[in-house]
């Protein structure tokens, strides 16, 4: 298993390009199942999770072609609406094939995603919504078995805001008979990006980005071309790395518009952040203060502070002036990075879903272990500011969601290398 070795103490400077969004690309790849014509996607990030999803679609009979960041999918030969456990267990987002398969094929056999480090993450809302649209769904031997002659439009309420739940139901509704209304819908920009792709394929969707999405079902969807939106969590991660190291960094191909809550908190911490927008160029520049001020956060669904940025912001608060109170309201076990940060000298107390982080003058390098995707990003940020060397083990977590992170960080002046552990 690989590990990252980081020599702390360098200030990040310069500019780097942000990749396409993992959490937009994953549902949009599944949207290809809804049509018998080809879907061509650009700006698709080269990540392990994307590779896993392409393999999952290919074994269903989808023709997949990939050249760098361009992917074309042709689901005219879709003949195996099954997502097996061996593939689903490595990536929970596989559940996103459920809605499209039921809508296109009238049947699906999808393994229940197993447990996950950050929480139980059930999929009951996905199932409840499809049942309300007329699917007969049984869960046996670890598989969701769904069947229907044709889904029918329905008025759906999700018990909580669920991103992939909203995405699954929105995709299923595109081919249903009649109108579907999803209330309490997720408003994340990735939901909007998926809706834009579906509309390009001929879907009739309004309200994406608000908490009420209306979908008028059509007989079939046609092919389309779509460019994946920039990754706002990669953007936020690099902004936090620049902030923690007292840096001056420009991120190209992304905009503050996708993560206002994070930008606000970074400004509260003392950073100067400027969004640049011209007709064919968008970028964000962050200039960090000498010492950051501690900033309290509370994670909530979009447009509030994203749970996917909580770990990275905790790394900032570890070296800021003052004490921050950080509340995680989305997942029940998303503080695993805290014990690893404490190994680096951080002063953190955990009480249920609240972390009290008291800034220290400096962290010391040590060997730490990545436990999940965003926790690993938090450890990279901490390693960049810790004195001496930090070794981060199990970085396969990191490779799921960050494209060429060590090359990008090196471009900004970080001393970081990958080694065989
Ligand atoms: C998406 O996960 C993201 N993944 C996650 O990003 C992100 O953390 C999460 O949304 C929250 O923003 C993708 O988009 C592929 P949810 P998702 O359904 O959809 C509960 C990353 O780091 N819930 O919005 O699985 C659930 O347990 C990943 O890139 C149910 O109880 O999250 C959680 O407490 C990590 N029943 C809350 O809702 C359901 O049927 C929000 O989960 C569905 C969800």
């Amino acid at each position: 298993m690989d590990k990252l070795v980081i020599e702390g103490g360098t200030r990040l400077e310069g500019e780097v390009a942000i990749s396409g969004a993992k959490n937009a690309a994953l549902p949009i790849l599944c949207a290809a199942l809804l049509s018998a014509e080809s879907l061509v996607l650009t700006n698709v990030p080269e990540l392990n999770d994307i590779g896993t999803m392409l393999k999952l679609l290919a074994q269903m009979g989808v023709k997949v072609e990939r050249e760098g960041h361009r992917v074309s999918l042709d689901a005219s030969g879709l003949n195996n609406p099954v997502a097996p456990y061996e593939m689903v267990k490595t990536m929970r987002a596989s559940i996103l094939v459920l809605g499209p398969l039921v809508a296109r094929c009238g049947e699906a056999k999808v393994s229940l995603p197993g447990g996950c480090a950050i929480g139980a993450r059930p999929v009951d809302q996905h199932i409840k919504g499809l049942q309300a649209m007329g699917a007969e769904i049984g869960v046996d031997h670890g598989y969701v078995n769904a069947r229907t002659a044709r889904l029918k439009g329905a008025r759906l309420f999700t018990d909580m805001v669920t991103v992939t739940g909203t995405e699954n139901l929105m995709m299923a509704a595109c081919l249903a008979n009649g109108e579907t209304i999803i209330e309490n819908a997720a408003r994340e920009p990735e939901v909007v990006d998926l809706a834009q792709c579906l509309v390009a394929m001929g879907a009739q969707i309004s309200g994406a980005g608000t908490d009420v999405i209306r979908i008028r079902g059509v007989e079939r969807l046609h092919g389309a071309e779509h460019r994946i939106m920039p990754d706002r969590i990669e953007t936020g991660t690099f902004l936090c790395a620049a902030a923690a190291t007292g840096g001056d960094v420009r991120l190209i191909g992304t905009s503050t518009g996708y993560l206002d809550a994070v930008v606000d908190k970074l400004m509260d911490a003392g950073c100067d952040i400027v969004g640049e927008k011209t007709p064919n160029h968008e970028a964000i520049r962050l200039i960090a203060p000498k010492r950051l001020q501690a900033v309290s956060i509370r994670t909530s669904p979009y447009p509030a502070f994203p749970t996917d940025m909580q770990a990275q912001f905790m790394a900032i608060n570890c070296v800021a002036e003052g004490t921050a109170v950080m509340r995680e309201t989305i997942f029940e076990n998303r503080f695993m990075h805290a014990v690893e940060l404490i190994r680096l000298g951080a002063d953190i107390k955990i009480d249920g879903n609240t972390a009290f982080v008291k800034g220290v003058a400096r962290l010391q390098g040590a060997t730490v272990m990545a436990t999940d995707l965003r926790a690993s990003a938090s450890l990279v940020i901490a390693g960049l500011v810790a004195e001496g060397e930090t070794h981060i083990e199990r970085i396969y977590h990191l490779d799921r969601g960050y494209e060429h992170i060590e090359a990008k960080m090196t471009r900004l002046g970080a001393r970081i290398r990958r080694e065989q552990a």
Side-chain angles (χ1 to χ4, degrees), residues 24-25 28-45 54 57 62-75 193-194 196-198 200-201 221-229:
I28 289 171
L29 288 171
C30 297
L33 295 167
L34 290 166
S35 168
E37 297 177 24
S38 84
L39 178 62
V40 177
L41 302 173
T42 55
N43 201 32
V44 179
L54 292 175
L57 296 172
V62 178
K63 212 151 106 287
V64 172
E65 277 162 36
R66 184 178 186 177
E67 298 138 47
H69 295 129
R70 187 181 189 281
V71 173
S72 63
L73 304 118
D74 172 354
D193 205 34
L194 170 62
Q196 283 168 351
C197 179
L198 291 167
M201 295 168 72
L221 294 186
H222 50 70
E225 243 197 76
H226 180 79
R227 179 178 173 77
I228 302 294
M229 67 173 278

Side-chain angles (χ1 to χ4, degrees), residues 34 42 47 57 77 134 143 239 260 282 298 314 318 333 377:
L34 290 166
T42 55
L47 299 169
L57 296 172
Y143 278 82
L239 290 175
D260 290 326
E282 50 183 7
R298 184 186 192 286
M314 188 180 285
C318 287
N333 186 31

Side-chain angles (χ1 to χ4, degrees), residues 15-20 43 193 227-232 235 250-259 274-285:
E15 62 180 51
V16 77
I18 291 296
S19 303
N43 201 32
D193 205 34
R227 179 178 173 77
I228 302 294
M229 67 173 278
D231 193 314
R232 65 191 170 98
T235 302
R250 175 181 277 111
L251 304 179
I252 311 291
T254 186
S255 99
T256 54
Y258 304 116
L259 69 171
V274 177
E276 300 165 5
K277 203 162 174 62
T278 61
N280 50 15
H281 164 85
E282 50 183 7
I284 307 176
R285 183 175 181 190

Side-chain angles (χ1 to χ4, degrees), residues 314-342:
M314 188 180 285
I316 284 192
N317 279 327
C318 287
V319 291
E321 180 79 38
T323 298
V325 179
M326 301 183 75
R327 284 196 63 200
E328 171 55 60
T329 72
I330 306 291
F331 290 110
E332 60 269 30
N333 186 31
R334 206 171 194 176
F335 283 145
M336 284 171 296
H337 41 284
V339 280
E340 300 301 318
L341 291 167
I342 290 168

Side-chain angles (χ1 to χ4, degrees), residues 70-401:
R70 187 181 189 281
V71 173
S72 63
L73 304 118
D74 172 354
S76 54
L78 172 56
N79 58 13
N80 177 37
V82 178
Y85 175 68
E86 302 69 43
M87 302 186 92
V88 173
K89 72 180 178 188
T90 64
M91 186 185 60
R92 321 178 37 70
S94 311
I95 193 69
L96 283 162
V97 302
L98 179 62
L101 287 177
V102 178
R104 172 86 186 286
C105 312
E107 59 175 318
K109 182 177 178 194
V110 176
S111 167
L112 270 176
C116 164
I118 62 177
R121 299 179 74 182
V123 291
D124 54 299
Q125 302 296 308
H126 303 235
I127 292 170
K128 187 183 97 171
L130 290 170
Q131 285 171 326
M133 295 169 77
E136 283 152 47
I137 300 191
V139 179
D140 4 82
H141 305 293
Y143 278 82
V144 178
N145 297 294
R147 178 175 297 286
T148 181
R150 185 182 180 191
L151 292 173
K152 58 184 191 320
R155 189 185 183 97
L156 309 175
F157 290 80
T158 54
D159 296 354
M160 77 295 293
V161 173
T162 159
V163 175
T164 51
T166 300
E167 292 166 343
N168 236 334
L169 298 173
M170 182 166 72
M171 286 191 280
C174 288
L175 297 179
N177 184 10
E179 182 181 53
T180 298
I181 300 170
I182 305 175
E183 308 254 14
N184 201 19
R187 298 159 56 186
E188 270 69 2
E190 293 78 18
V191 174
V192 177
D193 205 34
L194 170 62
Q196 283 168 351
C197 179
L198 291 167
V199 167
M201 295 168 72
Q204 294 183 16
I205 300 173
S206 61
T210 75
D211 61 353
V212 179
I213 302 178
R214 289 172 185 277
I215 306 104
R216 177 159 293 290
V218 294
E219 287 303 313
R220 68 182 59 75
L221 294 186
H222 50 70
E225 243 197 76
H226 180 79
R227 179 178 173 77
I228 302 294
M229 67 173 278
D231 193 314
R232 65 191 170 98
I233 305 301
E234 184 192 22
T235 302
T237 303
F238 275 88
L239 290 175
C240 286
T245 58
D248 177 352
V249 161
R250 175 181 277 111
L251 304 179
I252 311 291
T254 186
S255 99
T256 54
Y258 304 116
L259 69 171
D260 290 326
V262 176
V263 168
D264 279 0
K265 290 294 181 182
L266 285 166
M267 286 174 153
D268 292 349
C271 297
D272 260 349
I273 299 179
V274 177
E276 300 165 5
K277 203 162 174 62
T278 61
N280 50 15
H281 164 85
E282 50 183 7
I284 307 176
R285 183 175 181 190
L286 179 144
I287 302 174
K290 276 251 162 305
R291 181 100 196 264
L292 294 160
Q293 292 305 310
V295 177
S296 293
I297 65 156
R298 184 186 192 286
T299 64
S300 285
Y302 192 86
F305 193 94
T307 174
D308 289 352
M309 281 301 307
Q310 176 258 109
Q312 298 90 313
F313 217 91
M314 188 180 285
I316 284 192
N317 279 327
C318 287
V319 291
E321 180 79 38
T323 298
V325 179
M326 301 183 75
R327 284 196 63 200
E328 171 55 60
T329 72
I330 306 291
F331 290 110
E332 60 269 30
N333 186 31
R334 206 171 194 176
F335 283 145
M336 284 171 296
H337 41 284
V339 280
E340 300 301 318
L341 291 167
I342 290 168
R343 285 182 50 71
L344 297 173
D347 179 350
I348 305 171
K349 304 247 177 333
I350 304 288
D351 177 8
N353 71 345
T354 304
F356 299 89
V357 186
K358 190 170 180 310
V360 295
R362 70 186 60 265
L363 298 174
Q364 300 94 26
T367 298
V368 289
M369 190 173 77
T371 50
D372 61 86
L373 170 56
R374 306 305 174 184
S376 359
S378 169
L379 297 176
V380 169
I381 294 169
L384 290 171
V385 297
E387 223 166 49
E389 262 192 7
T390 295
H391 292 222
I392 305 175
E393 297 181 340
R394 301 194 181 180
I395 54 159
Y396 57 85
H397 291 291
L398 202 59
D399 295 336
R400 301 187 48 171

